[in-house]
Amino acid sequence: MPGSINPAGGTTPREFESEPLQAADIKLINCYYPPPKESELRDLISKGVQELARKVPGRFCPEPPLSQNWLSAPDLGVEDIVEILNDSEYIYKLPRLGQCNGKIKLKGSVIPGLRQRAFFVASSISFSRLKLFVYPSCEKSDGFDTLVQGDSFNMGHHEIKIVEGALYIWRAYSEDYYGHERAQALFRTYGKATLSVKDLVEGGSNTVTVRGSFIMVHWPMLGRLD
């Protein structure tokens, strides 16, 4: 919201309140799901701007403190990841993209978090796992497979079934690890999808809702070899 700390100039909160969409500069950041209808979105934004304006006693700051750092470590979608991996100098870009503990946050959500022995679903990816996607054995096609409601596939001895929605596989890595599959794959959804994950050895089953970009991993070293 552009404004001024000078009492004699700039846009006042009252002007934001009376004409929210004309006074505010609207930007959509990290939106990985289809937005609502335009009229509904504009109404929602208007109400948000008006609510904020009513709480500000003076004028809006022309540039909020540290705003230049807001996008320094952005959440990334699978398309962004693939673009980085296809860049010959991708390795030099990783440090500035990392947010914490050597991980990059993906534009997605996994609710609730899912971990089943050597298998897990996550909305962040570590640098070490990212590097695996450039191994010679890695599938190089982007968006190479689509899974819809009723489809299922295995990672190790874990069966993943699409209960609702659809998944789009963007990049995968798989290898044999002393007779056990060691694999990971990047996915994305449009809207949300519901998955069921069944442990074919021990029989346990979990359900998870995913949205946006995320990763599935089966890594025997994380649990008992199955």
Side-chain angles (χ1 to χ4, degrees), residues 46-226:
S46 296
K47 290 178 179 176
V49 173
Q50 289 170 334
E51 180 181 352
L52 180 60
R54 286 192 290 269
K55 296 180 179 180
V56 176
R59 294 173 181 265
F60 285 96
C61 178
E63 185 176 355
L66 300 180
S67 61
Q68 69 273 16
N69 297 329
W70 287 356
L71 296 181
S72 60
D75 295 358
L76 301 180
V78 289
E79 302 96 326
D80 304 314
I81 295 290
V82 170
E83 183 178 347
I84 292 171
L85 294 175
N86 287 341
D87 188 333
S88 60
E89 296 185 351
Y90 84 98
I91 193 68
Y92 301 108
K93 298 181 179 180
L94 296 185
R96 66 181 178 85
L97 292 172
Q99 290 177 298
C100 61
N101 299 323
K103 290 184 178 181
I104 294 173
K105 182 73 174 64
L106 297 175
K107 281 185 191 173
S109 62
V110 178
I111 303 174
L114 191 150
R115 174 115 180 218
Q116 195 181 84
R117 289 203 294 156
F119 176 85
F120 68 88
V121 186
S123 57
S124 63
I125 181 171
S126 66
F127 292 170
S128 58
R129 293 203 178 284
L130 196 62
K131 293 174 185 177
L132 289 175
F133 286 120
V134 297
Y135 274 25
S137 59
C138 172
E139 171 60 59
K140 296 300 184 191
S141 300
D142 300 334
F144 62 87
D145 205 357
T146 303
L147 300 162
V148 297
Q149 185 172 329
D151 288 347
S152 62
F153 62 98
N154 286 23
M155 291 184 76
H157 290 291
H158 300 260
E159 181 187 56
I160 299 94
K161 184 175 183 180
I162 316 301
V163 178
E164 182 181 5
L167 296 185
Y168 304 88
I169 307 176
W170 283 75
R171 185 156 289 198
Y173 163 87
S174 178
E175 68 173 0
D176 181 84
Y177 178 74
Y178 297 101
H180 303 275
E181 184 185 24
R182 184 159 64 175
Q184 62 183 39
L186 277 170
F187 297 82
R188 79 155 294 160
T189 69
Y190 293 94
K192 68 178 181 179
T194 302
L195 316 176
S196 68
V197 181
K198 184 177 182 180
D199 187 328
L200 299 177
V201 174
E202 296 191 347
S205 182
N206 299 88
T207 300
V208 63
T209 297
V210 293
R211 188 190 289 270
S213 301
F214 62 97
I215 186 172
M216 289 190 195
V217 177
H218 177 261
W219 220 249
M221 291 179 289
L222 296 177
R224 297 188 303 277
L225 290 178
D226 55 3

